[in-house]
Amino acid sequence: MQWPRLITAMVTPFTENGELDEERAESLAHWLIEQGSEGLVVAGTTGESPTLTPDERERLFRAVRRGAPTATVLMGTGTNNTEHAREMSHQAAEWGADGVLLVTPYYNKPPQDGLFHHFVRITRDLPIPAMLYNVPGRTGVNLEARTVRRIIDASPNVIAIKEAGGTIQGFEQLREHCPDLTIYSGDDALFYPSLGLGTYGVVSVAAHVVGPEMARMIGAFVGGQGAEAQRLHLMLAPLFRDLFSWPNPIPVKWLLNHIGVPVGPVRLPLVFPEDQTALNRLADEFESIRASRSSAAFLS
């Protein structure tokens, strides 16, 4: 099977008193699909998964499925506890998820052999496919391309990887060692540069607010319009940068609320910053992009 190219790592909406907002989750899922996303990751790290209870995870998934009944929905089920991650992955399958996203174990910093056994234990008998997620800047451990090769050889359920190592070399190494693996960029800023190396799609944060532009960039590249894809990337590059001016998902949640897509607060230990200079710059960048949507160049 092949998942879609543009998948949004969806934020989790909360009420002002910090409760899960199922109604807003349903509405947000529907809106994201209308804006160009073809798939969603629910309860990933952008969705503040460490703060969600088991009951909230299920309620969130069901709300998203109601809002986007025909979209591809992946459930974030990776943790640093192998058996817990395995249990949550099987639960996601029971709920009807189209797949799971498995981040590398954080904090305990396992060696490569430990990563191999961790992912194989979770996925080998899983009835739905899995996407690995490498993000060493947040987890403290890098999933090497040679280890990915071992994992996919041992577990056919692993069909993709979200690469967010922060360097183009990560994509090069994956393409060298895993030419048959579907690669997604987990970094909006590196998505366009990695397309030339065979990256298939993106698990995006920016698509919350620039879904039409992201979808158009993908379509332009796939359709052989390289100059147009590059133009769109360069237009979006400042926003990509400033979306990570504070730890994700603080900036994107702030911006969604700012533009009238209510998603509520972040949960502790995250907070919105008191000094919002960078966030105000982000809002200005978004307004510039939104204004360009009415131009002939965008509509053509």
Side-chain angles (χ1 to χ4, degrees):
M1 67 166 294
Q2 191 75 280
W3 287 323
R5 293 181 186 270
L6 180 55
I7 299 174
T8 297
M10 192 180 119
V11 302
T12 298
F14 299 123
T15 64
E16 291 309 312
N17 65 358
E19 299 297 319
L20 175 67
D21 194 326
E22 294 170 71
E23 183 177 347
R24 284 181 177 175
E26 182 177 340
S27 297
L28 179 62
H30 180 77
W31 184 77
L32 288 171
I33 299 306
E34 284 190 330
Q35 291 293 301
S37 294
E38 302 166 283
L40 303 169
V41 170
V42 179
T45 47
T46 300
E48 299 175 76
S49 56
T51 73
L52 298 176
T53 68
D55 175 66
E56 286 174 330
R57 291 173 59 83
E58 182 174 4
R59 288 161 48 208
L60 175 62
F61 173 81
R62 298 196 185 284
V64 169
R65 185 57 92 189
R66 290 193 300 271
T70 62
T72 297
V73 180
L74 309 184
M75 196 77 183
T77 57
T79 76
N80 59 354
N81 180 317
T82 303
E83 292 307 313
H84 186 211
R86 184 176 184 276
E87 177 185 348
M88 289 197 298
S89 298
H90 281 267
Q91 283 178 337
E94 293 171 3
W95 298 339
D98 297 299
V100 296
L101 178 69
L102 298 169
V103 70
T104 50
Y106 41 86
Y107 186 76
N108 43 21
K109 299 181 73 171
Q112 294 300 306
D113 202 43
L115 291 172
F116 167 76
H117 289 290
H118 171 81
F119 285 120
V120 171
R121 169 66 178 159
I122 295 167
T123 61
R124 180 172 278 169
D125 62 348
L126 191 63
I128 55 176
M131 181 188 294
L132 306 178
Y133 178 17
N134 184 42
V135 57
R138 298 195 73 148
T139 64
V141 63
N142 181 52
L143 180 61
E144 296 175 4
R146 293 180 186 275
T147 304
V148 175
R149 177 76 263 170
R150 292 177 63 202
I151 292 166
I152 62 177
D153 286 344
S155 183
N157 285 340
V158 176
I159 66 169
I161 186 169
K162 176 184 175 183
E163 170 59 26
T167 69
I168 205 70
Q169 287 78 18
F171 296 95
E172 293 171 347
Q173 291 163 5
L174 283 169
R175 184 52 59 212
E176 176 186 356
H177 293 285
C178 310
D180 50 339
L181 183 65
T182 299
I183 301 173
Y184 286 82
S185 175
D187 185 331
D188 286 302
L190 286 180
F191 176 44
Y192 170 76
S194 72
L195 281 168
L197 295 170
T199 296
Y200 176 76
V202 61
V203 179
S204 175
V205 174
H208 280 94
V209 291
V210 290
E213 289 77 16
M214 297 289 288
R216 186 176 178 88
M217 182 170 68
I218 293 170
F221 184 87
V222 173
Q225 299 175 293
E228 173 65 2
Q230 183 185 73
R231 182 188 72 81
L232 287 162
H233 167 76
L234 292 173
M235 179 180 72
L236 296 173
L239 182 132
F240 291 161
R241 178 196 63 225
D242 287 335
L243 272 174
F244 294 90
S245 56
W246 284 78
N248 182 48
I250 292 171
V252 71
K253 267 197 155 181
W254 182 92
L255 183 56
L256 284 166
N257 288 320
H258 178 80
I259 67 174
V261 181
V263 294
V266 287
R267 274 183 174 172
L268 288 172
L270 299 182
V271 294
F272 290 132
E274 292 183 13
D275 181 358
Q276 298 189 352
T277 303
L279 298 180
N280 288 328
R281 184 172 63 244
L282 180 63
D284 291 341
E285 290 160 357
F286 170 76
E287 290 304 330
S288 176
I289 293 167
R290 180 156 62 178
S292 73
R293 291 177 183 170
S294 60
S295 70
F298 187 80
L299 295 174
S300 63

